[in-house]
Amino acid sequence: MAHQRSYHRLLVWHRAMDFADQIYTATEHWPLHEHYNWRSQVRRSAFSVPANIAEGHARTGVKEYLHHLSIAYGSLNETETALQFALRRRYLDEPALDTLMSQSGQVGRLLLALMRSLRHHLNQ
């Protein structure tokens, strides 16, 4: 079964960690009044992606794993929405947003592929 190997070996987990790291970097210079509110929320949602991949991987059942991957996917979309808002507030410029959205898109595709694979395994 795919989820029996260590989550450290999953490409999606590595890409999600890279994405979370880039979010931390991108939010470093946001206005001081945002540091403990919105910036913190964006960072938490970004970190939630690899954290839920790892937590789901550690669960004993495929359905539980899928549930955590679904949460990770939701957190990824929450982070994307926050990035779009950051562009509106001019905390990010278009090139920075494009780079982050590209990374997010890659993570999203990998998450969906893993979920599809697990669902296939579940239905066999």
Side-chain angles (χ1 to χ4, degrees):
M1 197 169 355
H3 75 280
Q4 290 177 335
R5 294 177 281 142
S6 170
Y7 68 88
H8 290 108
R9 301 174 104 188
L10 294 172
L11 178 62
V12 66
W13 179 81
H14 283 279
R15 293 296 180 259
M17 288 289 284
D18 293 343
F19 178 65
D21 189 44
Q22 289 301 310
I23 293 297
Y24 269 70
T25 299
T27 59
E28 275 296 312
H29 301 291
W30 284 12
L32 212 51
H33 67 277
E34 295 291 4
H35 279 211
Y36 300 105
N37 296 315
W38 192 50
R39 182 179 86 154
S40 178
Q41 178 61 31
V42 173
R43 287 177 165 193
R44 281 193 311 271
S45 68
F47 181 71
S48 176
V49 179
N52 272 289
I53 293 167
E55 183 175 354
H57 192 276
R59 298 296 174 148
T60 57
V62 175
K63 286 182 181 180
E64 290 176 291
Y65 193 6
L66 282 165
H67 175 73
H68 280 83
L69 293 176
S70 176
I71 293 169
Y73 192 71
S75 293
L76 185 66
N77 282 274
E78 177 184 352
T79 306
E80 286 182 356
T81 299
L83 293 174
Q84 294 286 343
F85 190 70
L87 178 68
R88 288 180 175 215
R89 301 297 304 159
R90 295 186 179 93
Y91 299 160
L92 288 176
D93 59 21
E94 293 266 358
L97 176 67
D98 290 346
T99 298
L100 292 167
M101 293 298 282
S102 177
Q103 282 184 290
S104 179
Q106 182 184 35
V107 172
R109 287 187 297 279
L110 290 168
L111 269 172
L112 290 174
L114 179 56
M115 290 190 298
R116 214 173 12 258
S117 173
L118 289 170
R119 281 189 194 107
H120 177 76
H121 174 75
L122 190 62
N123 293 324
Q124 285 187 339

